[in-house]
Amino acid sequence: MRKNLGAKEILYPMPVLIIATYDENGNADAMNAAWGSIGDTAQVFICLSPEHKTVKNIMAKKAFTVSVGTKNQLAACDYVGIVSGNTESKKIEKSGFTVTKSEFVDAPVINELPYTLECKLISYDEKSCHLFGEIVNISADESILTDGKIDYKKLQPITYDPVNHYYIELGEVAGHAFKDGQKLK
C-alpha cells in the first residue's frame, strides 16, 4: 500500500552541486545547491533564490561554474552550503577550497572538485528562481578518467537525501542504459 506524502521537494537522487562565482572585486565565492540538472542540450538548470551572494555575482559577471560534490570533499561541500557569502567574506578560504580562473568564463574552478561545468548565464528569473546557463566547457581532472571518460567510481560523487538530511555516495552499476530494456520490446 502507498502512503501519500503530499507535495514536497523530494526527489532521489538529488545532486550536490557546488556553484562558484567571482564578485565585482574578483573574490571567489561558492554555494551548495541540490535543485539542479541538465536543462537542455549544453545547458544547466539550477533553482537559486535571489538573496544568495552567488546569484548576485552571477548577475554581475554573467558566468559561473558548477562542480559535483565528492565524498573526499564532503565537509567543504557542506560548509559552503551552511555559511553565507553575504556574511562570511573568507568562505572559500575557510572551506579549504582553492580556485583557478576558468579559461572559458569569468568564474573560478574549484581545484579540489575534479569535475566542473563552466557556464555563461542564459537567463535568470527572480520570481521563479530559475537559472539557466550555457555549458561552454567541461573540465575533468585526469584522476577521474578511465580511457578518457569520466569514471564515477573515481569521481565518488555524493547525492543529497532531502528527507533524512544525509549525503550518500553513489553505489554500484545496476544496469545498462539503452540496452536492458531491449529485452522487453
Side-chain angles (χ1 to χ4, degrees), residues 23-87:
D23 68 13
E24 64 280 354
N25 299 315
N27 299 311
D29 181 53
M31 71 172 285
N32 183 326
W35 297 2
S37 184
I38 296 298
D40 198 354
T41 304
Q43 287 187 10
V44 64
F45 161 78
I46 309 165
C47 188
L48 298 174
S49 54
E51 69 272 3
H52 291 290
K53 179 168 179 56
T54 301
V55 172
K56 295 169 190 164
N57 293 347
I58 291 169
M59 298 312 295
K61 294 289 189 170
K62 309 295 186 214
F64 58 99
T65 60
V66 180
S67 296
V68 174
T70 64
K71 180 180 174 182
N72 292 341
Q73 295 296 324
L74 190 147
C77 291
D78 191 51
Y79 175 81
V80 299
I82 60 177
V83 173
S84 172
N86 288 319
T87 57

Side-chain angles (χ1 to χ4, degrees), residues 94-111:
K94 288 185 175 184
S95 73
F97 285 147
T98 60
V99 300
T100 302
K101 187 176 185 318
S102 165
E103 295 178 44
F104 299 90
V105 297
D106 191 8
V109 173
I110 298 173
N111 298 320

